[in-house]
Each structure stands twice: as structure tokens, then as C-alpha cells.
């Protein structure tokens, strides 16, 4: 109050930093759903808002005698401010000029794509009495013009759904014998699947999963379809390309996708826990906390793939040459814009903000 400053104190180690100033008599403090901070002044009767961390406070209200602590209404559309000297309660809009929030409903409806579908080789509990949730983790396609939809299940089964008969699925490949999954550690399991752009010709596809035989390891592997049946993947054809050793069970990332350049892009989280305790996101000697880019059409340098020569750190000493981008907590999913080729990534936040 005396200095009109706002400070952040870190519970992890007790250090603190000043994040705003110029608010003499600062007393009340409250967050809203969109990460905006509102501060009231007891000595000045003013109210400020900070739309985003690092920004200077913006004055949004004044004229009170002594604005005490404040709170938000249930919808976060107004701030309720008691005035101690005036004996009044004031309602102030949370709208910040230039930083308005559009909270109108999207013109979108959700409907089941395949109502009543019967998933092959899945025990829904009707026979054993033990319900096992079906954890469909991703949806993609072969890219072969067949319009068939491919669904990856987190325990390690890949299903095919034919839009001509969406009442049931068929199994493309089952690798549950090597995939680790537990409801208590549900960021692990079968996490990524990408079909080669030349799948129709070479029958190759790529899988990212958590290994069962060794603890705290994720694997990127190449598979092929069976020689006598192109509608089934061959579990015996597995060729491991990259093994990710991680310190914790969470933050596994797992998305893999081919870009318009024909390169395979892979993401892995920072290794888990909270606050990136090993600082892997900024550590260039590890694949953790990164987006990687490799050429799976070649094999060079003793690897089952090649490093693209135009990777940003391809020739830098002490840096993993596969690194395409770094500094991430846990990009859980990403996708390429089909027209521009740009990569769009969803970065999982920790306490407040998610990022794109």
C-alpha cells in the first residue's frame, strides 16, 4: 500500500520480483478467468487492471473514497468494491479499453461422429463385468485416397473406421504387448501416429509410444504393413529410430506429423514434474522440451534416419542436430496448415496460461 507496488513471490524458493508500480494505496487484488489482474486503492479510491503479465496498470475506475478489498461476480463481468468510508458497495465493469474479452458462445455444435460404434477387440465390460474405458487418443487417415479413418487408442491398438460402415472398426495393428499405460500415469501410452506421405507405395508408418519393458522411456518407431495384407500393420516390422529417456512420467508430448517438406516432425515434453526442474526446455544437449525434425527417407551417421542439412542446429557442436525448435513445456498436439505449411502447436500451461 505504501509504495503502490505489486510483487510476485515464488513459493518454490522464496525469491520475489516487482511486476507493477504506480498504484499508491494498493489494497484489493483479484484475478479473473482470463488471467487479468484487478487492483483497488484504499487511499485513492481508484481501480486498475493489468491485462497481461508485464504490462503497466491501466486505470479503469475512480471516484471512490476508500476502495477496500474487492471480488468478482460469478460471471467475472463486474468487480464488487466496498467503500469503507462511504459505506457503499460499487459494481464496476471488468472491461478494459483495448483489451475486451469476447465471451460470446461459438456457433459450433458437438455431435457424435460414430454413435453406437463397436470397437474391435475392446472389452466394454459387457462380457467380463470389468469396464475398460476406450481411450481414443488421436484421429488421422492413411492419405491413400480411401477416405478411411484411423483411430489410435492409448493402450496400443490402431483401429480403422470405414465411413461406408461406421458401426464397427477393424484392427489395423495391436502393440499393447509393448505399450505402457496406467490410469494413474495417463500421459503415457500410445501417443502418436503418422503415415508416410508415400504410404500407398512403401506401406510405412510411424508410432510414438511409452515403452513397457523399460521404465521412463518413450520410443519413436517405424513400422510397415504386412507383406500379404496391406490393410494390417506388422508388429514384427518395428524399427526403433529414437529413444527418449525421461526423468518423470508426465509431459511426454507425443505428436508426430509429416510437413509439406516431407520431413517428420516430433515433439516431446520437458521431462515432467513441474517448473522444468532440470531446465530441459533450454538445454540443447537433450531432445526433451523440443520439436524435432528428421529425414526418414535416408540413413546417415549410424542413425536410422538423416539430419536435414537446413535444420537450425545441424552443424553446431554440443547441440542435438534433430532440434527444430526449443523452449517448450509440453506441446501435446500440433498440426500443419495444409495451405501454408505452417506448424501450429498447442503448448500445455502450468498454472494459468495455455499457449499457441
Amino acid at each position: 500500500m505504501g509504495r503502490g507496488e505489486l510483487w510476485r513471490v515464488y513459493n518454490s524458493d522464496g525469491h520475489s520480483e516487482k511486476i507493477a508500480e504506480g498504484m499508491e494505496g494498493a489494497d484489493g487484488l483479484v484475478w479473473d478467468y482470463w488471467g487479468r489482474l484487478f487492483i483497488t486503492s484504499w487511499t485513492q479510491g481508484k481501480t486498475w487492471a493489468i491485462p497481461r503479465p508485464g504490462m503497466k496498470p491501466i486505470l479503469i475506475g475512480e471516484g471512490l473514497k476508500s476502495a477496500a478489498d474487492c471480488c468478482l461476480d460469478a460471471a467475472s463481468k463486474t468487480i464488487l468494491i466496498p467503500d469503507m468510508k462511504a459505506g457503499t458497495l460499487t459494481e464496476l465493469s471488468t472491461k478494459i479499453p483495448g483489451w475486451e474479452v469476447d465471451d460470446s458462445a461459438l456457433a459450433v455444435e458437438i455431435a457424435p461422429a460414430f454413435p453406437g460404434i463397436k470397437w474391435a477387440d475392446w472389452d466394454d465390460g459387457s462380457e467380463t463385468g470389468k469396464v475398460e474405458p476406450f481411450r481414443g487418443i488421436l484421429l488421422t487417415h492413411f492419405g491413400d485416397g480411401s477416405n478411411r479413418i484411423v483411430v489410435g487408442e492409448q493402450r496400443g491398438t490402431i483401429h480403422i473406421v470405414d465411413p461406408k460402415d461406421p458401426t464397427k472398426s477393424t484392427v489395423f495393428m495391436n502393440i499393447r504387448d509393448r505399450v505402457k499405460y496406467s490410469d494413474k500415469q495417463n500421459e503415457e501410452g500410445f501417443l502418436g501416429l503418422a503415415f508416410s506421405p508415400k504410404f500407398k507405395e512403401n506401406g510405412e508408418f510411424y508410432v510414438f509410444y511409452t515403452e513397457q519393458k523399460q521404465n521412463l522411456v518413450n520410443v519413436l518407431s517405424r513400422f510397415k504393413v504386412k507383406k500379404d495384407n496391406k490393410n494390417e500393420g506388422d508388429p514384427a516390422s518395428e524399427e526403433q529410430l529414437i529413444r527418449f529417456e525421461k526423468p518423470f512420467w508426465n509431459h511426454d508430448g507425443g505428436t508426430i506429423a509429416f510437413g509439406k517438406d516431407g520431413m517428420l516432425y516430433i515433439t516431446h515434453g520437458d521431462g515432467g514434474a513441474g517448473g522444468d526442474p532440470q531446465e530441459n526446455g533450454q538445454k540443447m544437449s537433450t531432445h526433451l522440451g523440443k520439436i524435432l525434425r528428421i529425414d526418414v527417407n535416408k540413413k546417415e551417421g549410424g542413425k536410422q534416419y538423416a539430419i536435414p542439412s537446413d535444420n537450425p542446429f545441424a552443424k553446431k557442436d554440443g547441440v542435438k542436430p534433430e532440434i527444430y525448435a526449443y523452449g517448450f513445456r509440453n506441446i501435446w498436439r500440433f498440426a500443419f496448415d495444409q495451405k501454408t505449411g505452417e506448424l501450429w502447436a498447442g503448448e500445455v500451461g502450468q498454472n494459468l496460461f495455455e499457449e499457441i
Side-chain angles (χ1 to χ4, degrees), residues 229-249:
N229 187 352
K230 292 185 177 181
N231 290 316
E232 287 189 25
D234 184 1
S237 68
E238 181 175 11
E239 178 185 7
Q240 292 192 1
L241 305 187
I242 300 177
R243 293 176 63 81
F244 300 87
E245 295 186 2
K246 55 202 180 89
F248 306 98
W249 65 268

Side-chain angles (χ1 to χ4, degrees), residues 180-201:
K180 178 184 178 182
Y181 174 78
S182 167
D183 283 332
K184 294 181 180 179
Q185 297 180 183
N186 62 12
E187 291 182 34
E188 296 182 321
F190 182 101
L191 303 176
L193 172 65
F195 290 92
S196 166
K198 301 177 182 178
F199 174 76
K200 197 171 183 178
E201 293 79 35

Side-chain angles (χ1 to χ4, degrees), residues 3 5 22 47 124 170-171 252:
R3 295 181 180 180
E5 297 173 350
T47 304
D124 62 359
T170 57
V171 173
D252 296 79

Side-chain angles (χ1 to χ4, degrees), residues 268 270 276 279-284 288-291 323 325-331 347 355:
H268 199 295
D270 61 16
D276 193 7
E279 299 185 346
N280 289 320
Q282 299 293 329
K283 193 179 295 180
M284 304 301 282
L288 304 181
K290 314 294 190 298
I291 297 176
I323 295 175
Y326 68 97
F328 303 109
R329 183 171 187 265
N330 187 33
I331 292 179
E347 166 78 310
E355 296 178 346

Side-chain angles (χ1 to χ4, degrees), residues 222 239-243 287 292-308 311 314 319-323:
R222 172 168 34 216
E239 178 185 7
Q240 292 192 1
L241 305 187
I242 300 177
R243 293 176 63 81
H287 290 142
L292 311 180
R293 178 176 181 256
I294 62 174
D295 185 350
V296 295
N297 298 308
K298 301 176 183 177
K299 296 182 180 181
E300 294 177 351
K303 302 176 187 287
Q304 301 303 308
Y305 56 88
I307 303 298
N311 267 12
V319 178
K320 292 288 187 183
E322 295 88 350
I323 295 175

